[in-house]
């Protein structure tokens, strides 16, 4: 759809119908695989085995490929491999070359264009990696990379240098060294498992890894970053959920960018995780032509809450090489945030952040609500643009914790 239609939130019949469509939960369906038996279709192993990974497969399934997409697929294995699960492929609109799902997973020729400010490692992870597969950038937490494989590959992937090994990075996690580093650093209380996607590990391998981490006394908090509930909801089995619930407090961050990704199947998978007592948060990336409009973003955030997922971060797209065609301006991100705070449920408002290029960490980016601030007052505006004053309090000296023996109260 065009930007003008996306931005039309005027309450017209067309806009209202589009809004209801965005917020609806529907099944991804079977599409080309309509004759596949239920037992196979609902088996995540079958889904992984039948991923779309070649130009020949894609041309058969999507005859409307553009020249830019065809060229992108031919060159994909030199940068970031293409892989799309049959389930997720069914969310693509074959008649719309600007389909927001299509833009996320089908390579384009523009991925070969690198701007001067783009980087292979925009978050500076390699420079903060004391042992292979471990990133220690923040004081009390580490990023534990478990694999370089995903169920499907996002074309804006921050770790495209590593994920899928298309560039020859040759990533091999060393669990023993990673775990030993954590064991030797008592300041580490929070471990985030990521990759690649940790939920591609078998239940047995993931359980063994979580058990080793949970056995470290100073590790208080475990997290898993995953896009499996969105790309491959069949993987979220009752057996997986029963295994994960042994390791509380265990949190999970999922990755969803467009409301169409939240299908009936995805919602059921997320509900299984929530029923296992796992708090769920969502991380979105602001992407041009995908979610850079208020109605689309608001529909996504509302649907997340209905799936029992708390919107957590909205990322400005990292400066990954070859991603310029998917980045939108920070100004646009602030405009969207300005139309969320106060206009919808507070739980639905994520924190908009830029991961500072080169390894500076996440920096919150917010619209200006403080208009002026001095020693007498703070002048603020609310979501409606109305201006208010709040009296500033003079910083007083702290009261003594006890009276001096020589100056006892009468």
């Amino acid at each position: 759809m065009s930007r003008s239609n996306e931005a039309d939130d005027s309450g017209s019949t067309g806009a209202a119908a589009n809004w209801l469509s965005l917020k609806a939960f529907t099944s991804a369906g079977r599409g080309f695989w309509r004759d596949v038996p239920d037992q196979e279709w609902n088996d995540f192993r079958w889904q992984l085995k039948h991923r779309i990974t070649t130009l020949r497969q894609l041309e058969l399934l999507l005859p409307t490929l553009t020249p830019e997409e065809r060229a992108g697929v031919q060159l994909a294995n030199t940068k970031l491999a293409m892989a799309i699960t049959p389930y997720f492929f069914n969310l693509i609109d074959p008649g719309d070359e600007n389909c927001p799902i299509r833009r996320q997973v089908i390579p384009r020729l523009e991925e070969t264009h690198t701007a001067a400010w783009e980087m292979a490692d925009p978050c500076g992870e390699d420079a903060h990696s004391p042992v292979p597969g471990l990133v220690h950038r923040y004081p009390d937490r580490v990023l534990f990379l478990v694999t370089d494989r995903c169920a499907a590959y996002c074309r804006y992937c921050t770790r495209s240098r590593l994920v899928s090994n298309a560039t020859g990075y040759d990533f091999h996690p060393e669990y023993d060294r990673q775990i030993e580093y954590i064991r030797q650093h008592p300041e580490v209380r929070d471990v985030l498992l990521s990759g690649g996607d940790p939920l591609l590990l078998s239940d047995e391998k993931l359980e063994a890894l979580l058990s080793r981490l949970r056995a470290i006394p100073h590790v208080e908090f475990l997290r898993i970053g995953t896009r499996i509930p969105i790309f491959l909801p069949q993987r979220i089995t009752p057996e997986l959920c029963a295994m994960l619930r042994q390791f509380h407090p265990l949190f999970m961050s999922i990755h969803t960018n467009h409301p169409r990704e939240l299908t009936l199947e995805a919602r059921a998978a997320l509900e299984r995780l929530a029923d296992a007592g796992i708090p769920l948060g969502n991380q979105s990336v602001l992407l041009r032509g995908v979610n850079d409009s208020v109605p689309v973003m608001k529909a996504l955030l509302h649907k997340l809450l209905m799936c029992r997922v708390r919107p957590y971060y909205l990322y400005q797209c990292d400066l990954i090489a070859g991603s310029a065609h998917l980045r939108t301006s920070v100004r646009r991100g602030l405009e969207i945030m300005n139309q969320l705070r106060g206009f919808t449920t507070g739980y639905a408002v994520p924190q908009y952040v830029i991961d500072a290029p080169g390894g500076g960490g996440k920096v919150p980016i917010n619209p200006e609500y403080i208009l002026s601030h001095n020693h007498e007052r703070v002048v603020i505006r609310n979501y409606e643009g109305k201006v208010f004053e709040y009296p500033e309090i003079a910083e007083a000296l702290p009261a003594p914790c006890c009276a001096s023996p020589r100056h006892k109260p009468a």
Side-chain angles (χ1 to χ4, degrees):
M1 70 186 75
S2 69
R3 165 59 64 79
S4 60
N5 287 335
E6 284 185 334
D8 181 10
D9 200 19
S10 61
S12 66
T13 301
N18 185 50
W19 173 248
L20 291 174
S21 174
L22 286 170
K23 290 193 68 170
F25 286 95
T26 59
S27 172
R30 296 292 185 85
F32 184 84
W33 299 272
R34 62 180 60 86
D35 296 327
V36 173
D38 288 355
Q39 185 176 359
E40 293 183 349
W41 178 260
N42 293 321
D43 185 340
F44 70 89
R45 300 172 188 85
W46 183 95
Q47 291 280 337
L48 289 170
K49 183 178 179 180
H50 291 85
R51 290 183 299 174
I52 298 95
T53 59
T54 68
L55 179 59
R56 178 178 176 81
Q57 290 172 296
L58 194 57
E59 286 178 324
L60 289 172
L61 295 167
L62 194 63
T64 58
L65 277 182
T66 67
E68 292 79 10
E69 290 171 328
R70 187 170 286 104
V73 175
Q74 289 174 321
L75 296 167
N77 284 326
T78 63
K79 179 182 183 288
L80 173 66
M82 178 184 71
I84 312 169
T85 58
Y87 160 82
F88 196 74
F89 181 87
N90 283 340
L91 299 180
I92 294 174
D93 181 350
D96 181 8
E97 66 180 71
N98 294 314
C99 165
I101 307 302
R102 184 168 175 166
R103 286 178 64 81
Q104 294 184 65
V105 292
I106 295 183
R108 293 184 60 88
L109 182 61
E110 291 91 333
E111 291 180 22
T112 64
H113 305 157
T114 302
W117 52 83
E118 293 178 338
M119 298 170 254
D121 180 17
C123 297
E125 292 179 342
D126 289 347
H128 292 87
S129 183
V131 299
L134 196 81
V135 179
H136 193 176
R137 184 170 59 181
Y138 297 102
D140 68 341
R141 52 208 184 275
V142 294
L143 172 67
F144 192 119
L145 302 179
V146 303
T147 179
D148 65 352
R149 304 293 152 160
C150 293
Y153 294 117
C154 305
R155 306 320 305 172
Y156 50 88
C157 178
T158 294
R159 298 194 189 104
S160 58
R161 72 191 187 283
L162 176 159
V163 168
S164 85
N165 198 36
T167 64
Y169 190 94
D170 200 28
F171 172 72
H172 295 287
E174 299 184 26
Y175 292 174
D176 289 344
R177 290 184 65 188
Q178 291 164 279
I179 290 171
E180 184 58 26
Y181 178 91
I182 295 169
R183 187 178 290 115
Q184 295 298 324
H185 287 77
E187 72 274 19
V188 175
R189 49 167 290 280
D190 174 3
V191 178
L192 167 60
L193 301 185
S194 187
D197 203 308
L199 294 190
L200 281 186
L201 297 184
S202 68
D203 288 6
E204 294 74 21
K205 287 183 178 179
L206 186 56
E207 182 175 16
L209 180 56
L210 291 170
S211 296
R212 294 179 69 184
L213 290 169
R214 182 52 76 209
I216 301 173
H218 56 264
V219 173
E220 302 172 359
F221 183 54
L222 296 174
R223 289 184 285 160
I224 294 174
T226 179
R227 207 170 185 197
I228 286 290
I230 304 303
F231 281 152
L232 190 65
Q234 297 85 354
R235 173 68 181 101
I236 310 301
T237 62
E239 294 77 16
L240 173 67
C241 295
M243 182 273 288
L244 292 175
R245 70 186 308 158
Q246 302 174 78
F247 299 103
H248 289 313
L250 172 70
F251 282 56
M252 190 173 289
S253 292
I254 69 163
H255 176 184
T256 316
N257 292 322
H258 191 276
R260 195 185 300 172
E261 298 170 42
L262 291 170
T263 61
L264 290 171
E265 293 89 344
R267 182 170 69 176
L270 293 166
E271 287 175 343
R272 286 193 289 274
L273 290 166
D275 285 345
I278 300 171
L280 301 170
N282 182 70
Q283 301 183 119
S284 296
V285 179
L286 186 64
L287 298 169
R288 182 188 300 177
V290 174
N291 56 16
D292 58 334
S293 78
V294 174
V296 169
M297 184 59 70
K298 192 181 289 187
L300 169 64
L301 302 172
H302 288 184
K303 288 182 77 173
L304 284 166
L305 289 184
M306 287 187 279
C307 292
R308 298 157 68 181
V309 180
R310 170 75 159 90
Y312 180 34
Y313 282 138
L314 173 62
Y315 281 96
Q316 180 67 16
C317 187
D318 291 330
L319 299 178
I320 187 69
S323 62
H325 63 292
L326 287 169
R327 277 199 303 279
T328 190
S329 67
V330 175
R331 179 179 293 105
R332 182 61 185 151
L334 288 170
E335 289 171 355
I336 292 171
M337 293 303 299
N338 204 41
Q339 291 300 309
L340 294 176
R341 177 69 62 188
F343 289 95
T344 193
T345 315
Y347 274 113
V349 182
Q351 175 63 65
Y352 182 35
V353 295
I354 294 176
D355 219 325
K362 300 176 187 67
V363 179
I365 307 296
N366 295 302
E368 292 294 335
Y369 293 104
I370 297 178
L371 303 180
S372 68
H373 184 190
N374 58 33
H375 67 282
E376 294 181 344
R377 62 180 184 171
V378 182
V379 180
I380 56 176
R381 72 167 179 88
N382 74 349
Y383 73 101
E384 299 170 301
K386 296 177 180 177
V387 177
F388 302 85
E389 291 186 7
Y390 186 89
E392 184 57 293
I393 305 300
E395 294 292 341
L397 292 175
C401 62
C402 58
S404 166
R406 287 181 293 179
H407 298 88
K408 294 181 179 180

